[in-house]
Structures are given as C-alpha cells and as structure tokens.
Amino acid sequence: MIRLIKFISLILFLILSLQKLSNANNNSLSVDKISKNLRCLICQGQSVYDSQSDFAISMKILIDNKIKEGKSEKQIYDYLKNQYGEWIVYDPEFNKKNLILWAFPLILFIFGGLLIYRKVFIN
Amino acid sequence: MKKNIFYLILLLFFTFIFTVFYKGLDKPNFYTPKEVNNKNFEEFTSFELFSNKQFDSQDIIENNKFTLVNIWSSWCVPCRQEHSVLMNLSKKTDLNIVGLNYKDKKNNAIKFLKELGNPFSKILIDPDGIISISLGAYGVPETFLLNNKSKIIKKYIGPLTENNISEIIKIIK
C-alpha cells in the first residue's frame, strides 16, 4: 500500500514538474527569443532583451501580452515593424535596396570559383 | 591584353568599393527616428488620472476635429520645459489636448500639474508604458496631432517648441 502511494505520488510529481517546465518554455522563452531579435531604438547597440531602459521593459511586457493574445512570432514582428519601421528587427528583409548586399557574396564566390577552375583545369 | 583587362576590372572594382565606403564615412551612424505621418493611430482604452474612469481613445478623438495627444511624465525633465509651450497652446486655441501620463505616480503627476498648470482636457494613464509602445512612441515627451478619423497628421519626437506650436496652429485653422 505504502509502495503504491509512493509510486503514484512520484508519477504525479513527474507530470506536474513536466507541465511546469513546458509552461515556462512557452512563455518566457518566446519573449526572450523575440526580444533578442529586436533592436532597442533608444539605446545604441543593444537588443531589447539586453536593455533595461524604460522602452525595452515596456516592449517586453507588450510582447508578453501579444503572446498571451495568441499572436504568432511573425505577427508580432510585423506589428512592431508597422509601428517603428524595419529598423527595429535585426534581420533585414530582402529588397531592392539591399540586393547587392545579399547577392555580393554569391557573386564573389562564383567569381573565385571560376578563377580556381581556370587555374587548375585550363592551365 | 587579356591581363590588362583583368587588372583594369580589378582596379575599377576597388575604386568602386573605396568610393562606397568613403561616402559611407560621412553618413551619421546613429539612428534618428523617422517621423511617420498619415498613419493610423492605434486605438486604446485607459483610465483617467483624476476620475479613474475608463475611456476609449476613439471616443475622444472622434468628437473633435483635431486632437493633440501628448505623452508626458512628471519625472521627465524635457516635459517640464515643454509644459509652458503646451499651456500657451491651450490658451491660444481651443484645440483638444489629451495627455498620456507615461510610467508615473499619480501623486507626482498631480503635483506637477498643480505647479505648472493643466493644459489637458483629459489625462489618460499609461502605467506600464505599453500604450505608448503600441502607439509607436520612443519615450517622453512625444506628441501626435490627429484628425477625427484617427489619422496621424503630425508626430513630434521630443519637446514641442514655439515653432512647432505655430505650425500646429496653421494646420488646425
């Protein structure tokens, strides 16, 4: 009998702790993850995650609220981009303005490849 | 001949890179917030500072031809400078000026208004700063001029000046 109670309580403990863990993952991890990808606009060179400025603290609360509303990560980024412009996210979008920037490594790579190819196979 | 062309291309390439980076040196590398006009103002609900009654921003904005929303705080030094300008504006015109009290203590806010005067028709509170963030604000002070359809006609980042005030008066006339 005592064994059974011990066994059941162990199982219960495991289930509860797992639930706690997954809950914690759901909430805090997402806020951290999203705020790491956001630039703190009033503190140079810091992410929202790193900063303790009023702006960043409020931003983290807002992100938490949006997550609780059931918004997806992309929806939150889009919402903030709409309010503050694209500068707020660290990951720049692919567009005409930065086409060279994106394509340049590829061009260099192909160019270098051609050079090597010529050196090795033709000469 | 072929070699010459190759060196020429290489030279052109490096000159191009050099010019790009040289030009880039002159560019300021600090971020200046863009003043976005003609955007829609996010709707919000909050409590009034004095009466503690709940208000919807939409109701306040709809009933006036123009509304000036000013984000301020008693602990913010530039707001103190700006306050006399706002007082001036409220005396000169009958513009509906709404205050948004940013991350402030009620007592301090009331003390501030008693000392410097109250230019606002209503003051809504923003204790967490979330409302300001959802409006796209950077900090205090910040001011939005809206029409009755919730469009942002003008946004001022930082304290208002006398020049801004004359601009606002021109727009609302």
Side-chain angles (χ1 to χ4, degrees), chain A residues 82-93:
Chain A
N82 182 41
Q83 292 301 336
Y84 287 99
E86 212 202 305
W87 178 256
I88 194 156
V89 285
Y90 276 120
D91 194 16
E93 262 174 39

Side-chain angles (χ1 to χ4, degrees), chain B residues 40-169:
Chain B
N40 272 325
F41 191 71
E42 276 288 295
E43 196 182 332
F44 65 88
T45 45
S46 184
F47 297 95
E48 221 272 335
L49 178 73
F50 295 105
S51 62
N52 250 337
K53 265 191 214 153
Q54 196 168 6
F55 279 100
D56 196 76
S57 64
Q58 202 69 24
D59 297 336
I60 303 170
I61 291 161
E62 264 175 9
N63 294 329
N64 295 283
K65 202 174 167 209
F66 292 101
T67 305
L68 195 77
V69 177
N70 177 252
I71 305 175
W72 67 282
S73 192
S74 68
W75 49 260
C76 137
V77 180
C79 300
R80 207 163 258 275
Q81 282 170 29
E82 182 194 55
H83 210 78
S84 60
V85 180
L86 277 175
M87 287 301 290
N88 235 339
L89 181 69
S90 77
K91 272 176 208 149
K92 274 185 193 160
T93 61
D94 54 357
L95 178 66
N96 181 34
I97 306 176
V98 177
L100 187 62
N101 192 221
Y102 177 82
K103 286 192 172 179
D104 208 353
K105 288 201 177 94
K106 189 177 175 176
N107 289 342
N108 293 349
I110 292 172
K111 220 172 158 187
F112 180 92
L113 293 174
K114 262 190 191 149
E115 189 189 325
L116 299 167
N118 185 358
F120 306 111
S121 67
K122 259 190 198 71
I123 300 163
L124 300 175
I125 55 168
D126 183 14
D128 301 324
I130 310 174
I131 296 170
S132 303
I133 294 279
S134 73
L135 299 178
Y138 295 86
V140 272
E142 205 157 314
T143 312
F144 300 84
L145 182 65
L146 317 165
N147 67 8
N148 56 359
K149 297 203 170 57
S150 278
K151 270 254 176 327
I152 301 173
I153 300 171
K154 202 90 197 156
K155 179 177 171 182
Y156 299 97
I157 297 164
L160 287 175
T161 60
E162 288 296 340
N163 284 342
N164 296 144
I165 292 296
S166 27
E167 192 181 38
I168 291 170
I169 292 173

